[in-house]
Amino acid sequence: MNIENLTLCEKIVSPSYIRQGSQARRGHEQLIRHLLDQGKCPEEGWSESTVELFLNELAVMDSNNFLGNCGVGEREGRVASSLVARRHYRLIHGIGRSGDIAAVQPKAAGSSLLNKLTNSVVLDILKISGVRSVASCFVVPMATGMSLTLCFLTLRHRRPKARYIIWPRIDQKSCFKSMITAGFEPVVVENVLVGDELRTDLETVQRKIQELGAENVLCVHSTTSCFAPRVPDRLEELATMCAKYDIPHIVNNAYGVQSSKCMHLIQQGARVGRIDAFVQSLDKNFMVPVGGAIIAGFDESFVQEISKMYPGE
């Protein structure tokens, strides 16, 4: 409540009680103000009541929740079921615009604010987790495989002649299908046994680049998180190789945010060579429902280019 309403409340209930309630609410508002000011992950997690207060405050800023509003435009956030509306805190409009998922939606100031804050907080988490030099990221409503596909399709505009993606093998079908769906031909490089570990065959990767021609290779598609006995790819060496041959490098970091080793490898790879983007799953790392991912990179313009490739809101 604002000051005027609190003053009116004091005419109905004892002023001392109203002041106590006002101070309690101010504690929630201070947390929200800190988030708006810093755009970083809070050191201590919010209570559900703070989260719900903030979401409700954002929801009333969207035009579909304006009092007396009757939307008759192309799309006005109309939902038939009140159960569905409540489940989504009446944030019905969606985020972004048809041509750019990162754009501000003029009819949904609250949802747009939530999107900007989410991307800012996630960027801070990636830095805290070990990738200190990451420049930009955005959350996309697709799982890891389709998010990788989006990265490959974006690179197609930069390398229109390229047909091949060099891929150190990992037995996970969505990684393989992400390249096929994008219309490219995976060049599978078998791993080599080193002790009791399966490691990246760097010599074969380099030989494939030379055989195919660097200009015909869309990118190297490496992996950090995987199942034993396969270990993370040798990112530093691959990144150095990509820089040498001027070939993009996309990293599948599906499980990696929760692993300091994986994040360290990405940071080191970007420091000594080339990593264009790395993709991580939301459900695996943040324990939310399946269906979201984070696309991040070290060149803000390239990350923005990927976000603009997403078709719709």
Side-chain angles (χ1 to χ4, degrees), residues 51-310:
V51 172
E52 290 182 331
L53 173 65
F54 187 44
L55 290 176
N56 285 323
E57 293 277 358
L58 293 176
V60 297
M61 297 172 68
D62 285 4
S63 65
N64 64 286
N65 296 315
F66 289 177
L67 292 176
N69 185 62
C70 181
V72 293
E74 175 190 358
R75 52 179 311 281
E76 296 292 339
R78 294 183 290 267
V79 171
S81 170
S82 59
L83 174 66
V84 173
R86 290 197 305 273
R87 182 191 182 282
H88 293 277
Y89 291 90
R90 294 174 290 112
L91 295 165
I92 310 300
H93 255 300
I95 289 168
R97 307 190 73 176
S98 59
D100 186 354
I101 193 176
V104 172
Q105 167 58 244
K107 295 180 181 179
S111 294
S112 298
L113 182 58
L114 181 60
N115 184 38
K116 297 291 186 181
L117 285 171
T118 298
N119 290 338
S120 178
V121 168
V122 167
L123 184 66
D124 183 49
I125 291 172
L126 293 178
K127 291 180 178 180
I128 293 171
S129 299
V131 187
R132 293 287 179 182
S133 59
V134 60
S136 181
C137 74
F138 68 102
V139 173
V140 63
M142 303 185 298
T144 308
M146 285 301 295
S147 299
L148 287 166
T149 295
L150 193 66
C151 295
F152 301 145
L153 291 173
T154 304
L155 287 176
R156 169 175 278 161
H157 292 276
R158 294 191 170 194
R159 301 172 72 84
K161 296 181 180 179
R163 292 177 48 202
Y164 306 101
I165 296 178
I166 296 178
W167 181 55
R169 176 177 170 177
I170 176 173
D171 292 345
Q172 214 281 342
K173 189 177 289 186
S174 66
C175 310
F176 185 70
K177 290 177 68 177
S178 68
M179 299 177 283
I180 299 293
T181 301
F184 296 98
E185 182 177 332
V187 178
V188 182
V189 176
E190 297 290 343
N191 299 293
V192 293
L193 186 63
V194 180
D196 60 353
E197 298 177 339
L198 288 172
R199 304 212 67 192
T200 314
D201 187 345
L202 295 171
E203 293 182 1
T204 301
V205 171
Q206 179 162 294
R207 187 171 68 251
K208 290 294 183 182
I209 292 174
Q210 295 169 345
E211 290 175 359
L212 298 170
E215 69 281 0
N216 296 316
V217 176
L218 182 81
C219 66
V220 171
H221 176 194
S222 64
T223 306
T224 56
S225 52
C226 49
F227 308 105
R230 192 192 193 281
V231 295
D233 278 322
R234 298 169 69 172
L235 254 61
E236 291 184 52
E237 294 90 335
L238 289 174
T240 301
M241 196 180 302
C242 287
K244 174 183 176 181
Y245 289 98
D246 193 25
I247 295 174
H249 185 188
I250 304 296
V251 180
N252 174 8
N253 189 46
Y255 298 77
V257 179
Q258 60 195 300
S259 168
S260 59
K261 176 64 176 179
C262 291
M263 299 301 274
H264 174 73
L265 287 173
I266 293 173
Q267 176 63 37
Q268 286 298 102
R271 186 181 66 83
V272 302
R274 175 172 181 173
I275 292 179
D276 294 72
F278 57 103
V279 179
Q280 35 274 309
S281 167
L282 285 179
D283 60 280
K284 299 174 185 68
N285 298 289
F286 293 88
M287 297 179 71
V288 297
V290 172
I294 302 162
I295 299 175
F298 301 91
D299 179 356
E300 186 172 358
S301 63
F302 180 60
V303 175
Q304 290 177 352
E305 192 177 335
I306 298 172
S307 73
K308 291 177 180 178
M309 278 291 292
Y310 180 87

